[in-house]
Amino acid sequence: QHRLLLKNAEQLVLVCGRREPYLRRDGAAGLAVLRAASLVVGLDGCIKAVGQADVIQNQFSEATFERIIDCSGKSVLPGLVDAHTHPVWAGDRVHEFAMKLAGASYMEIHQAGGGIHFTVEHTQKATEDELFSTFQHRLGRMLRAGSTLVECKSGYGLNLETELKMLRVIERAKRSMDIGISSTYCGAHTVPKGKTATEATDNIINNHLPKLKELKLSGEIHVNNIDVFCEKGVFDLESTRRILQAGKDIGLQINFHGDELHPMKSAELGAELGARAISHLEEVSDEGIVAMARAKCAAVLLPTTAYMLRLKQPQARKMLEEGVIVALGSDFNPNAYCFSMPMVMHLACVNMKMSMNEALAAATINAAYALGKSDTHGSLEVGKQGDLLIINSSRWEHLIYQFGGHEALINYVIVKGKVVYENERCETMSSY
């Protein structure tokens, strides 16, 4: 007895075929793809077999399945992994989008009390149930766009009470929803009004982190990562170092915002501290790139942010050539309202000059690596969790090629071998 058989897929994109924890350089340039292939997911939600359709048919001729899906003419891919989101908040910033289009910069809006401060005010006032309700809705949209594992940050509370409220909301979703979640404490998202960066840093180290440790031990809230916005006029390098080290000391993975608007030597710091990943990196130095490659610290690039804020594009090509592990995230937040990893991959290809293979590796195995989960997620290999997409096309590249086309293209989203989204439109509509 097994949970799921996907049979006769035109293309089955494994991404990795040899249990690689990440792909870089040539590995990311050429992906493992099978043709005329089938895949089996067991009752435990893990992949039991993947291979040529006739071989799988013989091997499982006596087996029974809870569900069989004929994938003739279709492509199967790993579920997408979104390595950077800020999805719990109240109060959108559509008015600020208008200001940015008229020429205001991110930091100008921030210093005028808008930006993160605006969202913090609204998030502090919102109840836990209100935040959970909108968060649930956003996760549903991410799932329908093909994301099966998402990194979710706090960071619109800044005070301990609201940060914990956000982390409780994330914990509730972890326990009640199909989508996989990696949670990140981001209390150092900006310096709260009325505090200096040093005071905010001391408060996080002396009050916030001990409380997180206590809640982890009691089993109430399990946080995975620690984040800081290391930026000029926000948290400087020394404050960032202190917070990240204190987080690492209580068992959190370091995964932070660096070198976005100004060169801060964040990449060098992350490599030195053993960071799992650093996000943004629009202004990273050449030395920082080399240090990240050497330390196997993933670069989480966010093409939507550079696009919407009209920033300089991150140097994806240089990073790939230097051997950095390049991952992608949507950076979904009130400043960059995009749920869709297929659109993120498309922007990465067009604006950051990545190939489609490199973009898919970055949105699957490498994004999973950035979250410390590439042993269980990010590729279609025996023993890994059965998270996958079936798309209504005989070539997987349509997921990237069609800009904004995922709504008629993603036919099924499957988590642990269970269909969590079935798209009726694909039955009546050709995806071409």
Side-chain angles (χ1 to χ4, degrees), residues 200-351:
T201 300
D202 291 341
N203 183 33
I204 286 167
I205 292 170
N206 300 328
N207 299 316
H208 290 210
L209 292 175
K211 185 68 182 170
L212 287 186
K213 187 179 178 181
E214 181 193 312
L215 291 169
K216 189 178 177 180
L217 290 172
S218 70
E220 275 176 73
I221 297 179
H222 290 278
V223 180
N224 305 104
N225 317 290
I226 182 152
D227 192 353
V228 176
F229 187 17
C230 180
E231 185 53 71
K232 194 172 160 185
V234 191
F235 289 93
D236 66 11
L237 211 58
E238 196 40 47
S239 300
T240 300
R241 175 194 295 276
R242 288 179 57 210
I243 295 168
L244 293 177
Q245 187 59 54
K248 189 178 181 181
D249 292 344
I250 65 162
L252 301 177
Q253 295 184 116
I254 297 176
N255 188 331
F256 72 111
H257 290 64
D259 297 328
E260 177 184 358
L261 304 171
H262 298 93
M264 298 284 295
K265 293 205 182 317
S266 306
E268 291 89 328
L269 174 70
E272 181 200 325
L273 293 177
R276 178 44 80 147
I278 307 171
S279 288
H280 281 292
L281 300 164
E282 287 85 351
E283 298 287 343
V284 69
S285 70
D286 292 352
E287 296 76 20
I289 290 176
V290 170
M292 286 179 71
R294 202 174 292 140
K296 295 183 181 164
C297 169
V300 178
L301 305 184
L302 309 169
T304 48
T305 312
Y307 164 71
M308 290 189 206
L309 293 180
R310 299 168 172 154
L311 301 175
K312 166 169 121 184
Q313 293 289 332
Q315 302 176 68
R317 284 261 50 93
K318 186 171 173 64
M319 291 180 192
L320 288 160
E321 281 151 20
E322 293 284 354
V324 175
I325 300 161
V326 174
L328 290 170
S330 68
D331 196 15
F332 172 75
N333 76 82
N335 171 56
Y337 205 106
C338 175
F339 293 110
S340 163
M341 286 304 288
M343 289 177 84
V344 167
M345 290 190 288
H346 179 103
L347 287 172
C349 292
V350 175
N351 289 342

Side-chain angles (χ1 to χ4, degrees), residues 21 60 70 72 84 114 117 129 167 196 207 239 251 272 332 383 395:
F60 290 87
D70 182 0
S72 300
H84 184 123
H117 296 298
D129 284 341
L167 290 169
T196 66
N207 299 316
S239 300
E272 181 200 325
F332 172 75
R395 291 194 58 169

